[in-house]
Every structure is written in structure tokens, then in C-alpha cells.
Amino acid sequence: KFGDEGCYSFFKNLILKVPKIKIILYNFEKLFNYKFSIEVIEKLVKKYPHNCLGIKDSSYNLFDKIKINKDFLIFPGSEIKLKSGLELGNSGIISAICNVTSSLARKVYDDFHNKKEDTFNERLCAIRKIFDKNNLISGLHTFMSFENKKYKKVLPPLSLLSKKQEKQMMDDLKALDFYPEKGIAA
């Protein structure tokens, strides 16, 4: 475990060693056992504005609160936060599930910026909620393995979904008329 001072020191030392580095911070408490605070981000951006360019917020404690400057990029980590994030001035999303939902996410993004009526966000969010029912990466690999068997390879402790979980996920996705597509990139 570490706190804001440890986080700040880490990035300060990294930037001092690699002065031209460009950083998108990754706020993912489940993975790192640390959740960025607004204060530490503001301190990093104030001291290193040319290095600290934005944040991916997968802990969801920042995307709707942080206001640094118009150039600071904010990306929630879920399709469910895309539209509300855009309404708040966020830059978009960064999500593993966009490997298979990118065309829908792009439509939501474009409709928002073109001031068109939203017609895709509900479906995009419903698809994400199905993936959220299981381990996200296991579900994504299981889904993508229907088109390319290489996705059946996952490193422990991850695994593919059980046959029961796979069937439920695929049935739920089929109910939304969402199927594996050719040419999905990981």
C-alpha cells in the first residue's frame, strides 16, 4: 500500500529520469491497491504539465469531479460512463470491451459531438453490463475466441468462462443481436 506522497514521488522520479515522457495516469484501485486523489493529480499536472497529459479512470472517483484544464484528457474505463463523461467534458473512454464494441462506442461519441439524437448508448451500456457479470477479461477472451481460437489462451490466474457462464453470456448478447464479428483486433 502507498498513498498520495508515494504516488507523487514515483511519477516525479520517473519524469526526472525520462524528461520527455508522456503519461496517461491509470486509476485502477482493484489492480494497484491505490486510488488517485484529485489533489495528487493536480499537483502532478501543475509541476509537470508537459508530461502528465490525462487519466484513465477505472475506479470512477475522478471522471465526474476532476477539472484541471481543457487540455487534460479524461477517459473513464467503461462504456457505461461514455455519454455521461462526454457531457462532463471527458475525452472518451478507454475500455477493453471496446475491442468488440468500438463501432457502437464511436457512434455514441460521434452522435454526441454532432449533436444528434442518441440512439446507440442504451445498447452499448447493455452489452457492457453483460460483460460485467463475469470477470471482464475472461468474458472478453471467451467472446473473441469464437472468431479466433488464439483468444482461448489466457494466463493464470485468469481463465475462460465456464461453459455455463459462456452460454449465459452468449445468450444474453444474442438477445441484444450482438455476435462475434470478423476482424476484431485485440
Side-chain angles (χ1 to χ4, degrees):
K1 285 196 170 224
F2 57 93
D4 284 352
E5 280 308 309
C7 176
Y8 180 82
S9 292
F10 172 82
F11 285 104
K12 176 183 88 173
N13 288 325
L14 179 64
I15 293 165
L16 292 175
K17 295 279 186 196
V18 188
K20 292 183 180 182
I21 194 169
K22 305 295 182 196
I23 301 170
I24 300 289
L25 304 166
Y26 190 14
N27 189 33
F28 193 18
E29 184 179 22
K30 284 185 197 176
L31 185 62
F32 300 121
N33 206 19
Y34 170 76
K35 186 173 13 179
F36 279 89
S37 68
I38 291 173
E39 295 77 24
V40 79
I41 295 169
E42 288 173 340
K43 187 175 173 182
L44 283 166
V45 172
K46 183 177 181 179
K47 180 75 175 170
Y48 306 105
H50 302 292
N51 304 102
C52 296
L53 306 180
I55 189 160
K56 176 188 178 187
D57 184 15
S58 292
S59 293
Y60 311 119
N61 65 307
L62 300 169
F63 85 98
D64 58 346
K65 296 172 190 71
I66 195 164
K67 303 286 182 222
I68 291 184
N69 62 51
K70 66 178 181 58
D71 296 322
F72 188 75
L73 305 168
I74 303 169
F75 302 99
S78 173
E79 290 77 358
I80 295 169
K81 310 289 187 195
L82 175 58
K83 186 176 177 193
S84 62
L86 291 171
E87 290 167 350
L88 293 166
N90 290 185
S91 306
I93 58 172
I94 298 174
S95 166
I97 302 304
C98 273
N99 280 291
V100 296
T101 62
S102 60
S103 60
L104 280 173
R106 184 64 201 217
K107 288 174 183 175
V108 172
Y109 180 90
D110 287 343
D111 284 352
F112 176 82
H113 283 288
N114 293 325
K115 297 177 180 20
K116 288 185 173 180
E117 181 182 349
D118 168 32
T119 55
F120 299 99
N121 191 57
E122 187 175 316
R123 183 169 183 240
L124 178 65
C125 292
I127 291 166
R128 173 60 189 240
K129 287 176 184 175
I130 291 168
F131 280 98
D132 282 342
K133 289 179 183 177
N134 300 293
N135 176 287
L136 194 72
I137 302 305
S138 297
L140 180 60
H141 271 259
T142 299
F143 181 83
M144 293 174 72
S145 73
F146 283 92
E147 278 300 316
N148 190 325
K149 300 301 178 206
K150 75 180 180 182
Y151 292 104
K152 287 187 177 275
K153 296 178 184 174
V154 291
L155 295 174
L158 293 175
S159 63
L160 294 177
L161 297 180
S162 70
K163 288 298 177 189
K164 182 180 178 183
Q165 291 170 316
E166 175 187 305
K167 182 178 179 347
Q168 183 64 59
M169 179 183 75
M170 295 309 289
D171 288 348
D172 291 349
L173 291 170
K174 286 176 186 174
L176 294 173
D177 199 28
F178 190 76
Y179 303 93
E181 300 175 52
K182 297 273 186 207
I184 294 173

